[in-house]
């Protein structure tokens, strides 16, 4: 039953403590998304499995994370973001302990599915709470904390993973979530307010159609490289899944347009120009941030011979600069037209990746790599808060969860596309730049896990450098979208000089 208020009164809630409580869980999700990649070789050996199975430890998590986001976002509007968040956090924490105790690859994959469901329940609620408890002129500052969390997590995940795997074993990358989850649960229980809920009829056909469509699309893209973009089993092929997913999603959109009750995805959200453009921009950001890591880490380990932990340390300038800039950019976001900030960030990100593609060589001094990586930190500092706050500023409060679900779904699909796209391009470039092995495969293909022979360094470096051009180009689409942002309503209504007086 909806309460009379659209939003709790400012005197009834302390926004910043509530946001910090939510950030603990959000940070844990993001770290877990990157930490597992470092442990993959150890899991493969310890559980006596093969590469095809161990890849599913990540793939199952990403599928379970991406597919339900539309539903969990809407669920937060219906029963309250705090309840959905706490349920997701409890599920994620328990599934993490389950992952650590598993003794077979099949059970680990199942446990990772439950982890993904927990993450899908938590993520949209963070943005929804920001939208509902912060006034429009303070959401940029709040979103900057959200963005800084993402930037720091990209660094902490691989480094923490390397330390834990080397010192205690791969199980501890999951066990460490238990104390963090308990702390996050207690903080959220005490500090996050019980926001007014709104009576929604759940759109069951919409739930079924969106789930099937997203599953087929994400699974097809994610597993395309593994099956060489051909047959999976019997009549099922990668392309048949992708096409089926697109067709089912088209039917889903048609149903949403005809549903006279309460659709799962209110298409009216897209009437807000900034919401539509921000979703386009964040899709390209998700694509690029995911895609750029693979060639850079493979180059660092296979050509430069760095350990996983030392390779992750290359990202220190990016994480530090992102964390330092985010609070300042957050204040600017509350005062400045978002097209300038987001446009600058997206341009910096594209330039940094183009720059990195030009300096990657077998014997380049490390400091020359750190310069474009530092520029990536500037880019991250300027991208996340302006794009995220622009997406949600004009949304009706009772649809904050639905909007956050859409936003995070597009970001996650962008990440899946980036992972699949960069894998295809890297394989293509390696086939072109490296001599063929006796079996016909590129000579460096089997050596991803260790240092390559010196004779292959130049070809491998060239392949990784050329692959980085793909995310750099994709970001240009996001740049165009950001430059088309319109001035937020509250900036039109209030002179920027008055904004500072509204804080507090």
């Amino acid at each position: 039953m909806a309460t009379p208020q659209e939003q709790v009164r400012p005197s009834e809630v302390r926004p910043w403590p509530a946001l910090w409580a939510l950030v603990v869980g959000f940070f844990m999700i993001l770290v877990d998304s990157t930490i597992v990649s470092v442990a993959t070789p150890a899991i493969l050996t310890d559980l006596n499995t093969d590469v095809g199975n161990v890849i599913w430890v990540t793939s199952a998590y990403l599928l379970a994370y991406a597919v339900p986001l539309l539903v969990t976002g809407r669920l937060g509007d219906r029963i309250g973001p705090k309840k959905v968040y706490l349920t997701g956090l409890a599920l994620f924490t328990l599934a993490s302990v389950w992952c650590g105790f598993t003794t077979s690859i099949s059970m680990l994959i199942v446990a990772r599915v439950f982890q993904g469901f927990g993450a899908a329940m938590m993520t949209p609620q963070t943005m929804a709470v920001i939208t509902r408890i912060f006034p429009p002129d303070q959401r940029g500052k709040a979103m900057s904390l959200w963005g800084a969390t993402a930037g720091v997590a990209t660094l902490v995940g691989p480094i923490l993973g390397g330390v834990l795997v080397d010192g205690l074993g791969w199980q501890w990358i999951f066990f460490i979530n238990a104390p963090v989850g308990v702390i996050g649960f207690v903080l959220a229980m005490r500090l996050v307010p019980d926001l007014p809920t709104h009576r929604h009829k759940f759109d069951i056909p919409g739930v079924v159609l969106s789930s099937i469509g997203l599953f087929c699309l994400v699974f097809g893209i994610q597993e395309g490289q593994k099956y060489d973009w051909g047959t999976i089993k019997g009549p099922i092929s990668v392309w048949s899944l992708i096409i089926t997913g697109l067709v089912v999603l088209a039917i889903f959109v048609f149903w949403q347009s005809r549903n006279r009750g309460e659709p799962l995805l209110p298409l009216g959200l897209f009437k807000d120009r900034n919401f539509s453009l921000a979703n386009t921009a964040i899709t390209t950001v998700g694509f690029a941030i995911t895609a750029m890591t693979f060639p850079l880490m493979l180059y660092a380990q296979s050509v430069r011979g760095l350990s996983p932990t030392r390779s992750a340390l290359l990202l220190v300038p990016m994480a530090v600069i992102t964390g330092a800039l985010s609070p300042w950019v957050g204040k600017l976001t509350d005062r400045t037209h978002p097209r300038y900030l987001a446009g600058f960030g997206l341009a910096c990100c594209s330039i940094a990746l183009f720059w990195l593609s030009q300096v990657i060589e077998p014997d380049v001094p490390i400091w020359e790599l750190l310069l474009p990586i530092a520029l990536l930190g500037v880019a991250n500092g300027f991208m996340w808060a302006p794009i995220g706050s622009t997406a949600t500023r004009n949304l009706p409060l009772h649809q904050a969860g639905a909007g956050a679900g859409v936003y995070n779904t597009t970001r996650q699909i962008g990440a899946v596309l980036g992972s699949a796209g960069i894998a295809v391009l890297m394989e293509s470039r390696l086939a072109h730049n490296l001599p063929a092995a006796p079996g016909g495969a590129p000579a460096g293909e089997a050596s991803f896990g260790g240092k390559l022979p010196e004779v292959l360094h130049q070809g491998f470096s060239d392949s990784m450098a050329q692959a980085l051009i793909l995310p750099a180009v994709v970001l240009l689409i996001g740049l165009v979208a950001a430059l088309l942002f319109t001035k937020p309503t509250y900036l039109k209504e209030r002179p920027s000089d008055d904004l500072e007086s509204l804080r507090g």
Side-chain angles (χ1 to χ4, degrees):
M1 181 75 178
T3 60
Q5 314 100 309
E6 269 292 284
Q7 185 176 5
V8 292
R9 291 187 297 273
S11 60
E12 296 174 341
V13 60
R14 294 180 298 157
W16 285 104
L19 180 56
W20 276 105
L22 292 172
V23 159
V24 172
F26 184 55
F27 180 78
M28 183 171 67
I29 292 172
L30 293 174
V31 167
D32 206 73
S33 298
T34 56
I35 201 172
V36 175
S37 60
V38 178
T40 298
I43 293 172
L44 191 150
T45 302
D46 193 47
L47 296 184
N48 192 28
T49 186
D50 56 38
V51 173
N53 284 328
V54 83
I55 285 174
W56 266 99
V57 174
T58 298
S59 297
Y61 175 82
L62 291 176
L63 271 173
Y65 186 6
V67 171
L69 283 169
L70 282 178
V71 179
T72 57
R74 195 62 166 164
L75 199 61
D77 288 334
R78 182 177 183 179
I79 66 175
K82 179 177 179 178
K83 290 178 181 176
V84 178
Y85 177 86
L86 288 174
T87 303
L89 179 55
L91 178 60
F92 187 93
T93 304
L94 291 172
S96 296
V97 176
W98 183 9
C99 287
F101 280 120
T102 54
T103 55
S104 70
I105 191 67
S106 57
M107 290 309 296
L108 179 58
I109 291 169
V110 172
R112 288 283 282 168
V113 168
F114 281 91
Q115 256 196 325
F117 279 134
M121 295 178 75
M122 295 165 65
T123 302
Q125 315 316 322
T126 310
M127 282 189 71
V129 169
I130 290 174
T131 303
R132 295 182 64 183
I133 68 176
F134 285 89
D137 60 287
Q138 292 185 11
R139 285 182 200 153
K141 194 174 178 183
M143 286 301 301
S144 71
L145 177 59
W146 196 74
T149 301
V152 174
T154 19
L155 171 67
V156 171
I159 294 176
L160 183 62
V163 171
L164 289 173
V165 172
D166 291 341
L168 297 171
W170 64 265
Q171 293 87 347
W172 283 90
I173 67 171
F174 299 112
F175 287 146
I176 198 171
N177 289 337
V180 177
V182 170
I183 293 169
F185 191 94
V186 172
L187 289 175
M189 178 71 77
R190 292 173 58 87
L191 299 175
V192 176
D194 288 301
L195 296 172
T197 58
H198 303 269
R199 175 174 287 177
H200 292 293
K201 295 179 181 178
F202 227 62
D203 178 12
I204 300 301
V207 170
V208 173
L209 288 170
S210 67
S211 299
I212 293 173
L214 283 171
F215 177 85
C216 291
L217 179 64
V218 173
F219 182 88
I221 294 170
Q222 195 169 271
E223 299 299 302
Q225 180 66 17
K226 176 181 175 182
Y227 294 101
D228 198 25
W229 301 94
T231 301
I232 296 176
K233 190 172 184 180
I236 302 174
S237 68
V238 170
W239 284 109
S240 69
L241 277 178
I242 292 174
I243 292 169
T244 299
L246 291 172
V247 170
V248 173
L249 287 176
I251 296 171
F252 166 70
V253 172
F254 177 76
W255 163 247
Q256 299 303 282
S257 69
R258 308 297 292 178
N259 185 354
R260 300 306 177 197
E262 289 196 69
L264 176 66
L265 173 60
L267 296 181
L269 293 174
F270 293 96
K271 292 179 181 178
D272 177 13
R273 174 174 166 177
N274 279 357
F275 180 79
S276 299
L277 291 171
N279 275 279
T280 301
I282 199 63
T283 301
T284 68
V285 171
F287 184 105
I289 296 300
T290 301
M292 72 158 197
T293 310
F294 290 104
L296 181 59
M297 291 295 106
L298 286 174
Y299 160 79
Q301 294 177 43
S302 297
V303 175
R304 303 308 291 260
L306 301 179
S307 67
T309 304
R310 291 181 65 194
S311 299
L313 289 174
L314 291 174
L315 302 177
V316 166
M318 181 177 78
V320 170
I321 293 173
T322 299
L325 281 178
S326 290
W328 179 68
V329 174
K331 293 179 181 178
L332 282 180
T333 302
D334 291 328
R335 296 167 171 260
T336 310
H337 198 309
R339 86 163 48 127
Y340 305 123
L341 301 177
F344 177 73
L346 286 156
C348 283
C349 197
S350 183
I351 291 168
L353 292 177
F354 275 119
W355 184 1
L356 200 55
S357 74
Q358 298 305 304
V359 299
I360 283 184
E361 292 288 342
D363 55 356
V364 65
I366 293 294
W367 68 266
E368 287 192 38
L369 295 173
L370 296 181
L371 293 177
I373 290 172
L375 184 57
L376 284 171
V378 175
N380 274 294
F382 276 86
M383 288 189 305
W384 293 97
I387 296 174
S389 59
T390 300
T392 57
R393 277 198 201 274
N394 298 331
L395 295 185
L397 294 179
H398 68 280
Q399 292 182 342
V406 173
Y407 183 83
N408 283 285
T409 299
T410 57
R411 176 177 61 85
Q412 197 66 21
I413 288 177
V416 172
L417 288 170
S419 176
I422 202 71
V424 171
L425 188 56
M426 284 192 302
E427 183 182 74
S428 168
R429 292 294 81 203
L430 287 169
H432 181 269
N433 293 321
L434 293 182
E445 192 172 276
S447 302
F448 278 3
K451 198 172 188 299
L452 289 169
E454 190 171 347
V455 68
L456 301 177
H457 284 186
Q458 187 63 56
F460 195 93
S461 299
D462 290 345
S463 300
M464 298 303 103
Q466 291 159 11
L468 283 170
I469 294 175
L470 174 63
V473 170
V474 169
L475 281 166
L476 297 178
I477 300 171
L479 174 59
V480 172
L483 293 177
L484 294 174
F485 284 160
T486 59
K487 184 180 285 190
T489 305
Y490 83 96
L491 281 179
K492 296 176 184 176
E493 294 173 349
R494 301 186 181 101
S496 60
D497 292 341
D498 292 338
L499 292 178
E500 187 64 37
S501 64
L502 298 173
R503 294 188 176 88

